Amino acid sequence: MTMRRKLLGVALLALGIALSVPAGAQKRAADFEPQVGQAGKDVIWVPTPLEVIDKMLTMTQTTANDFVIDLGSGDGRTVIQAAKKYGARGLGIEYNPDMVALSNRAAQKEGVADKVKFVKADIFEADFSQATVITMYLLPDLNIKLRPKILDMKPGTRVASHQFTMGEWQPDETAHVDNRQALFWVVPAKVAGTWRLRANGMGQDFDLALKQNFQVIEGSLQSATRDLLLSATTLRGNQIGFSVVDGSVRRDYRGRVAGNTMEGTVRSSNGAEVKWQATRK
Ligand SMILES: C[S@@+](CC[C@H](N)C(=O)[O-])C[C@H]1O[C@@H](n2cnc3c(N)ncnc32)[C@H](O)[C@@H]1O
């Protein structure tokens, strides 16, 4: 082939592509058949079975009040199920544009296009902070990469992962469906540090010193005259609980964290129940 013919061929090819891409892309999207195991940006596509999706959505107690975001949404099945069966609204974030188009068509077909949508984006760049429920089926290292952003979400945000863990952030619950694993976490409030705690009628203020490892907390309640170790500590979203034994009296604190304040009630084993408040020092 002469150089001229070669150049002409290249030019026609370029022209052909330029003219036919929009129609071709549309046709390709409409006919697109996803293949299990097809390449994805950071992980291949393997769909989650419906029974596992149902387990994830019941573990997260998804309802019509929720906004579910599936990170790497594949063919859209999790978000579509969340809308169809649980009445939630939702968003699927998926890097493959053919999968996005397929999911939006599926949402139409299933009658939930008013509740859900699918967008082409990278889960590591997208803003998913408006979710009340996060679902994912990725890989352990991808979960860990997403973890700081998830931990910065509103306390109480529920997270479910098909199969894979979040490293040292232990799940609040694990379930098995067939041979699959569904894991569940609640984003804990950030409580580490020292708080000034006052309980009505208790006569003196305390320093509540808290150490935090994800949803696991430990610490002490100190005053000029006492240094009481916390026991039976719990932190689920913004709900906090701990107990102390003060002489012959046991006190059970239950409360709610809201940023730099906490408040709740403390019940004593002698029957008294009073309100308490704490402010971050
Ligand atoms: C294992 S599949 C799970 C699909 C769906 N969530 C499910 O459970 O059926 C992972 C999906 O993530 C997508 N994906 C991979 N890397 C991504 C990235 N960086 N941003 C968005 N989507 C990504 C893949 O294309 C694939 O569809």
Side-chain angles (χ1 to χ4, degrees):
M1 199 190 290
T2 64
M3 185 55 76
R4 249 177 94 109
R5 278 184 68 122
K6 239 188 210 167
L7 284 174
L8 186 64
V10 169
L12 283 176
L13 197 64
L15 192 63
I17 288 170
L19 290 174
S20 66
V21 158
Q26 264 172 22
K27 186 170 182 304
R28 223 180 30 244
D31 296 348
F32 174 69
E33 289 271 350
Q35 304 296 319
V36 173
Q38 74 191 16
K41 183 173 180 289
D42 292 292
V43 58
I44 59 171
W45 176 61
V46 179
T48 297
L50 207 57
E51 312 83 72
V52 180
I53 290 175
D54 274 326
K55 178 51 83 179
M56 291 162 77
L57 294 173
T58 50
M59 284 170 118
T60 52
Q61 300 187 355
T62 296
T63 70
N65 295 327
D66 282 309
F67 191 80
V68 178
I69 297 189
D70 192 33
L71 299 175
S73 49
D75 64 0
R77 56 182 60 207
T78 304
V79 175
I80 289 172
Q81 182 72 348
K84 258 179 76 179
K85 189 163 170 187
Y86 303 84
R89 291 174 308 119
L91 176 73
I93 301 176
E94 167 59 50
Y95 199 76
N96 180 330
D98 286 328
M99 296 299 268
V100 172
L102 179 90
S103 303
N104 279 318
R105 285 198 302 278
Q108 288 279 358
K109 229 179 280 168
E110 299 291 344
V112 292
D114 58 330
K115 284 194 152 78
V116 305
K117 81 170 180 191
F118 297 89
V119 293
K120 194 252 163 193
D122 187 330
I123 52 173
F124 295 106
E125 279 157 26
D127 175 12
F128 50 83
S129 59
Q130 77 271 36
T132 57
V133 172
I134 291 283
T135 55
M136 54 202 190
Y137 179 26
L138 298 166
L139 284 172
D141 59 320
L142 302 184
N143 289 2
I144 288 173
K145 203 169 152 195
L146 288 165
R147 198 174 70 186
K149 220 165 159 184
I150 293 177
L151 284 165
D152 271 344
M153 293 180 77
K154 200 169 162 230
T157 302
R158 291 97 76 207
V159 183
S161 164
H162 173 193
Q163 208 65 32
F164 300 116
T165 62
M166 289 264 203
E168 321 85 82
W169 185 14
Q170 295 299 316
D172 292 296
E173 202 183 320
T174 304
H176 293 93
V177 184
D178 298 331
N179 282 330
R180 314 290 187 116
Q181 188 173 235
L183 303 106
F184 168 68
W185 298 260
V186 180
V187 172
K190 292 186 166 77
V191 297
T194 307
W195 302 70
R196 195 71 182 154
L197 182 145
R198 167 168 296 183
N200 296 354
M202 211 83 100
Q204 61 181 327
D205 287 358
F206 286 85
D207 269 354
L208 171 66
L210 292 175
K211 282 191 192 154
Q212 177 170 15
N213 193 16
F214 304 102
Q215 72 275 56
V216 178
I217 53 170
E218 59 178 23
S220 62
L221 204 52
Q222 300 163 347
S223 71
T225 54
R226 294 176 178 80
D227 188 354
L228 311 171
L229 201 64
L230 306 187
S231 61
T233 55
T234 56
L235 179 65
R236 195 165 174 106
N238 56 17
Q239 305 293 321
I240 191 166
F242 51 88
S243 299
V244 291
V245 176
D246 188 1
S248 60
V249 179
R250 178 189 164 101
R251 294 201 183 88
D252 298 316
Y253 290 79
R254 297 284 169 272
R256 192 169 182 282
V257 186
N260 289 327
T261 59
M262 298 185 199
E263 58 178 31
T265 54
V266 47
R267 185 182 298 220
S268 300
S269 52
N270 62 16
E273 188 173 310
V274 295
K275 300 240 177 275
W276 64 273
Q277 308 81 35
T279 315
R280 199 188 286 277
K281 279 180 86 173

